[in-house]
Amino acid sequence: MPSIRIATLAVSAGAIFLLAAMPFSASYADGISTTISGFGTLGGTFVSNGGYQFVHDITEFKGASTQFDPGLDSRLGLQAVIDFGSGFDFTAQEVLRQRGNDAFSPGAELLFVQYSPTPMFIFRLGRFDDNLFLTSEVLNVGYASPWFEAPNVVYGAGLLRWIDGGEFIGRKAIGNVSLKLDVAFGSSTAAIDAGGIMSTIDAKNVSNVVLSLEYKSLTVRVSRNSSSAPFSLALSPTLVTSTTTHDEFDEAGLYYDDGRALLYSEFVRRRQNDVQLIDEPEAQFRSWYVAAGWRFGALTPLVSYGAVTSQQTLVSPPGTFNSVAASLRYDVARNIALKMQISNAAAGNYDFWTRADPASTSRINVFSLGADFVF
Amino acid sequence: MPILMRRWKNGLACAALILAGTGHAGDLVVVMAAGAQPLSKERVAGVFVGRTMDLKPIDLPDANPARRDFYRKATDRDLAQIRAVWARITFTGLGQLPKQLADDKAVKLAVAADKTAIGYIDKADLDSSVTVVLELD
């Protein structure tokens, strides 16, 4: 944990320094230009049952209970891009948000140099988004999404938010069809609270391959993400089992937006090897969701339904849990969207609560409200 | 009767003002440098929503009513939707918002000087410095 904090603070300090040193937008005679932009969310969440705390995923240690909690959803991001010309640029994105058990603290979400010799090819080195699911790249940028909370049954599993390493993006348009290949490799870390056990995922050999196709209003994509991380568990005061966990995600998603109708859907399969001596993985499941909406001028109502089917694992018994949600986006002013969302999930769903109760048949409502903005 | 006539004329005047406030002065054309080939609406939409990056989109300011008309006609999206689309591109480091120029004259100058630039102007402002690649009715 301390090593993560030191590394995070060092990267953040560098990003803050670079951001503070730049004007909002400027061009210089030698062809170098800088652009600063930003995004944020001011909002919060509360739940209908005081026995449960809602979290987006287990990197959040403290959840929202029956009191309106602005900590989980509020954030502020600043991004600076220095364009050196000739296809080279540098991007730094610093986000102030609640991390782990901390109060609000800054962290570098993007910090990379990029070379694009032609619009078809992009090469990156540094820290970039883990493009795990359909909207993983913009989880912090609420304004870019129709909902306030992305469906937890899928997005709750995305614990690694970035990759430190290299990335290649290839793009090719064939008629009205656009193809995109995104290949990334590197390492990542995340501090988690798995059912009260605090630990750190120190992931190596993180690889992510995403192939997407866009045709008119439709985008479809398939992806595979894999990583390895050491895992130790004390079975007794004298017996500790140590394993390298190989974690794999297979994902297929589609997104349709013709200006009026909206449709999002994803299917995810997660597989892990068994922990030695226990013969059970830490996590293994299949999950999916469908979300559909319609734009009525500035108003965009959206409903979603999703489910997760877990196998027997170290932290959860087998079971299937569904969730439903209804949200409303109101584009109230230029660059500002007000949103509200009501989600309903089972008390046993590990994707929603800090301490799930699989034996309970209760269902709990999650109420969210806020404003997303960009500048 | 004269009162009814006045009300009718006032009503027409109000309707004209409302229409003037919601529309722009004339038809829009999408332009590139001289000699460019015609493009489909889908191709133009792809450039202005960041789906393809081989052409450089040139935009007009937010306050210009032609901007809203252009995006509605070319991409079937309103300005808030376009802002959301570009937020995703910008904050993943994949591109920057289209450059906004002050008026049609500036757009023509930029497009004429760069074969990969593409912009939109009022049809009434067309001249031989640029080529129409798509007409938007």
Side-chain angles (χ1 to χ4, degrees), chain A residues 179-198:
Chain A
L179 293 167
K180 183 177 164 189
L181 175 67
D182 185 344
V183 181
F185 185 82
S187 61
S188 189
T189 58
I192 60 169
D193 175 358
I197 303 170
M198 309 286 186

Side-chain angles (χ1 to χ4, degrees), chain A residues 124-176:
Chain A
R124 288 176 173 171
L125 276 178
R127 172 170 293 180
F128 42 83
D129 295 301
D130 188 358
N131 188 5
L132 188 61
F133 304 133
L134 199 56
T135 66
S136 292
E137 293 181 309
V138 285
L139 275 184
N140 285 323
V141 190
Y143 188 85
S145 299
W147 45 53
F148 192 71
E149 314 277 11
N152 262 40
V153 288
V154 164
Y155 286 82
L159 306 180
L160 303 176
R161 299 291 283 270
W162 61 70
I163 296 174
D164 290 328
E167 184 177 30
F168 164 77
I169 299 169
R171 299 180 286 199
K172 173 74 177 169
I174 304 170
N176 291 325

Side-chain angles (χ1 to χ4, degrees), chain B residues 40-87:
Chain B
S40 66
K41 181 184 161 186
E42 286 75 21
R43 177 82 170 98
V44 170
V47 174
F48 279 86
V49 299
R51 197 181 302 141
T52 56
M53 298 286 184
D54 53 333
L55 298 176
K56 294 176 195 162
I58 305 292
D59 222 336
L60 287 170
D62 295 349
N64 190 325
R67 183 168 189 262
R68 186 191 54 211
D69 283 2
F70 168 74
Y71 279 105
R72 176 49 65 193
K73 289 177 177 174
T75 71
D76 299 319
R77 284 160 175 76
D78 61 32
L79 293 182
Q81 292 169 255
I82 292 298
R83 190 69 185 92
V85 167
W86 279 96

Side-chain angles (χ1 to χ4, degrees), chain A residues 65-78:
Chain A
S65 191
T66 50
Q67 297 289 317
F68 184 79
D69 184 343
L72 292 181
D73 296 295
S74 297
R75 63 191 78 97
L76 179 67
L78 272 179

